[in-house]
Amino acid sequence: MSVVARAWPAALLVAVLGLAGCAGEPTRIAPGTLKADALQQLGAPTAAYPLSGGGERLQYSRAPAGFEVNNVDLDASGRVVSIRQELDDRLFDRTIQPGVGVWREADVLRIYGRPFEITRVSSYDGVIWSWRYKMMNAPRLLYIYVDPAGVVQRYHTGDDLMRDLFERM
């Protein structure tokens, strides 16, 4: 058997997997798509949340290693009304609502999904949830501070210095 004949099945597999990866991209779903069709194209979501008005959010997170959380919102009739990649510096000020009783853990999960890490520090009485994201291809971190009552108190962003360290190795 020739080298070309042996390599052909592997090349075909790579091409098929590449096309399947494109089909599973949430941002390529058209508004108006039925839920069943969206699920067929995207597969099972990493989480699903009810929305006001009878709608539903299908969340596709690439965490913990990835940099994106895509929310596909459906209306009460089960049709896609919006798709949004949430881990974006330009959205944080409009989305995150720190303050007494305003934004809680459930709100954070509904927007960003499970964090890649939950930590504690001695200077804060609560936990710090963090997500990886990219800003113009630079690895960044979003930190959300949640107090013991489950209320978001503040957030900030920072460079993902550990990622830079591993990339240099």
Side-chain angles (χ1 to χ4, degrees):
M1 182 182 274
S2 73
V3 173
V4 173
R6 284 184 292 202
W8 187 83
L12 180 62
L13 178 62
V14 168
V16 168
L17 290 175
L19 288 173
C22 292
E25 176 57 42
T27 58
R28 295 185 185 193
I29 296 293
T33 301
L34 289 170
K35 178 182 178 178
D37 294 332
L39 289 172
Q40 183 178 11
Q41 291 178 49
L42 301 175
T46 53
Y49 301 96
L51 296 175
S52 62
E56 182 180 16
R57 170 165 290 161
L58 305 177
Q59 191 171 77
Y60 292 88
S61 174
R62 297 210 168 114
F67 298 96
E68 293 181 5
V69 174
N70 289 285
N71 288 326
V72 178
D73 290 351
L74 308 170
D75 62 16
S77 69
R79 291 192 178 273
V80 173
V81 291
S82 69
I83 302 105
R84 187 161 94 170
Q85 199 293 100
E86 298 289 352
L87 292 173
D88 185 329
D89 266 343
R90 297 168 294 188
L91 299 175
F92 297 153
D93 280 342
R94 289 184 270 158
T95 305
I96 302 170
Q97 300 174 25
V100 180
V102 175
W103 232 45
R104 306 188 64 77
E105 287 178 350
D107 300 306
V108 176
L109 291 171
R110 190 176 58 256
I111 301 294
Y112 301 113
R114 300 292 321 157
F116 94 90
E117 183 176 57
I118 298 174
T119 57
R120 290 186 176 277
V121 294
S122 61
S123 61
Y124 179 70
D125 182 24
V127 293
I128 304 166
W129 293 14
S130 50
W131 291 261
R132 287 190 165 106
Y133 72 100
K134 285 193 175 183
M135 183 178 77
M136 298 176 62
N137 289 327
R140 304 275 296 158
L141 291 164
L142 167 64
Y143 301 98
I144 295 181
Y145 291 71
V146 182
D147 71 16
V151 176
V152 172
Q153 293 300 318
R154 67 181 184 269
Y155 82 94
H156 70 88
T157 60
D159 293 327
D160 188 351
L161 300 176
M162 292 299 279
R163 195 101 172 147
D164 287 344
L165 176 67
F166 290 123
E167 287 175 359
R168 285 188 222 135
M169 297 176 114

